[in-house]
Amino acid sequence: MAKIQQGVGPQYPQVVVLVGATGDLARRKLLPGLFHLVNAGFIPGCRIIGVSLDDLDADGFRDVARSALDEFAARKVSPAAWEAFAAILDYVPLAAGAPALREAVQRAEASLGRETRRLHYLSVPPSAALPVVRMLGEAGLVENARIVMEKPFGTDLQSAVSLNAHLHEVFAEEQIFRIDHFLGKEPAQNILAFRFANGLFEPIWNRNFIDHVQIDVPETLGLGKRAGFYEQTGAYRDMVVTHLFQILAFMAMEPPTSLEPVPISEEKNKVFRSMLPIAPHDVVRGQYSGYRKEEGVDPESDTETFIALKCHIDNWRWAGVPFYLRTGKRMAQGQRIISIAFREPPKSMFPPNSGVGSQGPDHLTFDLADASKMSLSFYGKRPGPGMRLDKLSLQFAMRDTGLIGEVLEAYERLILDAMRGDRTLFTTAEGIERLWQVSTPLLEQPPPVRLYEQGSWGPKPVHQLIAPHAWRLPFERVWRDPDNTGS
């Protein structure tokens, strides 16, 4: 039996109703994540009830879970750990309806033998979410429950308001956890620590010292089997509203009164309230060559697979500082960075051809990959006679600490937070509705889609969008490899 991790897990045993339990997300992330949380002792007692359209029994679901762990688990699965995990799995086919689900939950709660809490995780498409919510209501499973919702949270302001209204007919807002796995990543949370715990950076985190900010999340991946979903959403709805704007809020928010869920959510919502509407002329939409030939895609599709935009936060801290966001499919590299460009000082004292200013401003860059890294670039004198300057950098990688093994995968962290009722890293109804509100001008009058080659950095107008600045990706230098002492 795993030792219970005191203070970091939920107080009560958990009954997890995993809807969409045989789907891709459940197999890749949720079942391996739940296995680790249970095996590592983060949860003081747990039962998992799989629910999906597949006509399976409990043993069939155990086969699905075992296959998922064999293929996707990041940690070794011992026979004893698997036996213990298999014993807590149960399954109810969706066709069996609310009565069968209620009976399975009651059976699971009785087996735990003391006061429990329920976590309903809806790993289903948006069109299926509300029917599942109603079924949970019919089954009487709302009390002592929290519900985790996957993106997108609507596709425009009207649909978001309608979705939230229907959700609130069954669950109270404080029971609803809208998940964004980007915010569950250790590097995203490290932004808060870096900003507010360091006297070196906190005083300069404003328009007086920062020239512009880039949030850049290119992907090499294509659609996979998501053509039907993607045709209804596109890059802006899929990535910007639900991920990049949330990262922007962490980057731009005012200091919260405490690192508690309510103060942090309020400061994030203040950022969203301060955002100016997204102007179509500040947006570049793209579509990779060959997209319209993908299975399930309209041959005349206008759906964007790439989006880059400039947005503004009209408040005292950020007035006049542009935020540039970019993301797309089938691009040259897969990266997740925030790059902060500092204002440049006067160069009048340096002789001509010294090299100062020739490689752009100083940057503070966060790499949001799971093994997080940070880099601070600056000018320094080249050794030797004369005053020649080169761009240098200080770099830090999480693996330098020797604690990389302590990092929880994003979904693991967020599932644990939802069980604890910690809403710090989840989005609110107010925040989502405000983001759709500022998106309305773009959604009503989107600029034309421009083609770009697969394996490129997007359509050429992205360079005019950011001019006179330049995109940080591709990097002019690679991250140093701590395992290569010669670098």
Side-chain angles (χ1 to χ4, degrees):
M1 181 68 182
K3 181 182 176 183
I4 299 298
Q5 303 278 353
Q6 297 292 344
V8 293
Q11 181 180 354
Y12 298 101
Q14 303 285 315
V15 174
V16 179
V17 177
L18 179 57
V19 186
T22 60
D24 186 56
L25 178 62
R27 295 183 68 252
R28 286 188 299 109
K29 296 292 185 182
L30 305 180
L31 286 167
L34 285 164
F35 168 79
H36 176 238
L37 293 178
V38 170
N39 185 53
F42 285 106
I43 309 171
C46 185
R47 298 291 183 271
I48 300 167
I49 302 167
V51 179
S52 81
L53 292 170
D54 293 317
D55 186 16
L56 300 172
D57 59 11
D59 285 335
F61 180 48
R62 292 184 183 106
D63 291 340
V64 170
R66 180 74 226 208
S67 171
L69 295 183
D70 288 342
E71 189 171 356
F72 298 110
R75 304 165 180 90
K76 183 175 174 58
V77 180
S78 71
W82 163 248
E83 289 298 327
F85 188 67
I88 68 172
L89 300 179
D90 198 358
Y91 185 82
V92 176
L94 200 60
L101 181 58
R102 179 173 60 246
E103 182 181 332
V105 171
Q106 289 174 341
R107 189 165 60 243
E109 290 174 341
S111 71
L112 288 166
R114 65 186 184 95
E115 188 176 354
T116 60
R117 295 291 183 269
R118 300 160 180 163
L119 183 76
H120 307 309
Y121 197 117
L122 273 55
S123 178
V124 296
S127 58
L130 286 178
V132 171
V133 168
R134 285 192 285 269
M135 185 180 79
L136 293 170
E138 291 170 16
L141 299 177
V142 175
E143 188 179 358
N144 289 331
R146 299 180 176 113
I147 182 168
V148 179
M149 307 285 296
E150 279 284 343
K151 69 176 177 104
F153 315 115
T155 55
D156 54 22
L157 178 59
Q158 182 179 355
S159 62
V161 170
S162 175
L163 173 63
N164 287 327
H166 284 99
L167 283 173
H168 293 154
E169 289 174 2
V170 182
F171 289 93
E173 174 64 18
E174 57 267 21
Q175 292 178 284
I176 302 169
F177 289 73
R178 298 169 187 81
I179 196 166
D180 173 15
H181 70 273
F182 270 49
L183 295 188
K185 293 180 177 297
E186 199 77 34
Q189 299 160 59
N190 208 23
I191 294 169
L192 295 181
F194 192 88
R195 279 193 61 187
F196 299 127
N198 292 297
L200 178 61
F201 291 101
E202 190 279 330
I204 62 172
W205 211 268
N206 57 59
R207 58 186 166 81
N208 297 319
F209 297 93
I210 292 177
D211 183 78
H212 68 277
V213 177
Q214 297 179 32
I215 302 175
D216 207 353
V217 187
E219 297 181 300
T220 57
L221 300 173
L223 298 186
K225 298 178 181 179
R226 302 172 71 222
F229 165 80
Y230 207 80
E231 274 287 275
Q232 301 300 315
T233 54
Y236 185 79
R237 290 177 170 94
D238 183 40
M239 288 291 293
V240 177
V241 175
T242 49
H243 293 325
L244 273 62
F245 280 159
Q246 305 300 327
I247 293 289
L248 182 151
F250 263 33
M251 157 64 207
M253 66 190 239
E254 295 297 318
T257 53
S258 67
L259 292 177
E260 296 294 328
V262 172
I264 288 179
S265 291
E266 176 56 22
E267 296 305 336
K268 284 175 59 186
N269 287 341
K270 284 181 185 176
V271 173
F272 299 147
R273 289 197 290 268
S274 300
M275 285 177 66
L276 296 178
I278 306 301
H281 63 77
D282 285 335
V283 178
V284 176
R285 296 170 71 233
Q287 186 185 89
Y288 66 75
S289 298
Y291 172 77
R292 294 177 181 177
K293 296 179 181 178
E294 300 263 12
E295 184 180 350
V297 172
D298 183 340
E300 298 181 2
S301 174
D302 189 49
T303 300
E304 79 278 357
T305 62
F306 170 97
I307 190 115
L309 63 143
K310 176 168 62 174
C311 61
H312 297 274
I313 301 170
D314 189 22
N315 64 15
W316 192 262
R317 182 181 292 267
W318 297 114
V321 177
F323 288 73
Y324 298 99
L325 281 58
R326 178 173 68 168
T327 186
K329 299 285 188 187
R330 297 284 188 194
M331 295 183 69
Q333 295 178 17
Q335 295 270 7
R336 294 170 178 173
I337 70 154
I338 301 174
S339 196
I340 296 145
F342 294 101
R343 295 194 182 279
E344 296 190 67
K347 308 294 192 307
S348 55
M349 73 176 75
F350 291 94
N353 303 318
S354 67
V356 66
S358 62
Q359 296 183 54
D362 301 334
H363 285 86
L364 174 64
T365 301
F366 294 87
D367 184 334
L368 300 183
D370 286 327
S372 62
K373 292 174 282 194
M374 284 181 271
S375 172
L376 178 63
S377 69
F378 56 93
Y379 284 100
K381 183 184 177 300
R382 183 185 299 177
M387 181 58 75
R388 289 285 296 164
L389 277 69
D390 289 326
K391 206 60 179 285
L392 309 173
S393 69
L394 298 170
Q395 294 186 8
F396 163 79
M398 183 61 71
R399 55 193 299 182
D400 295 341
T401 66
L403 298 174
I404 192 69
E406 303 292 318
V407 174
L408 284 178
E409 200 276 338
Y411 280 99
E412 295 171 357
R413 166 66 188 262
L414 293 170
I415 288 171
L416 207 60
D417 283 355
M419 287 178 172
R420 295 167 55 225
D422 185 339
R423 301 166 56 82
T424 304
L425 303 177
F426 295 84
T427 55
T428 65
E430 178 191 340
I432 286 294
E433 290 175 12
R434 172 58 184 167
L435 289 175
W436 286 122
Q437 186 180 11
V438 301
S439 302
T440 298
L442 171 62
L443 299 179
E444 290 182 345
Q445 292 185 304
V449 161
R450 300 172 185 271
L451 290 179
Y452 64 98
E453 293 302 315
Q454 297 187 37
S456 73
W457 286 99
K460 289 184 173 55
V462 298
H463 302 295
Q464 284 82 56
L465 176 71
I466 200 170
H469 315 299
W471 292 100
R472 287 283 282 155
L473 291 175
F475 284 131
E476 71 277 6
R477 65 176 69 80
V478 298
W479 291 96
R480 286 194 285 272
D481 182 356
D483 293 334
N484 184 352
T485 56
S487 64

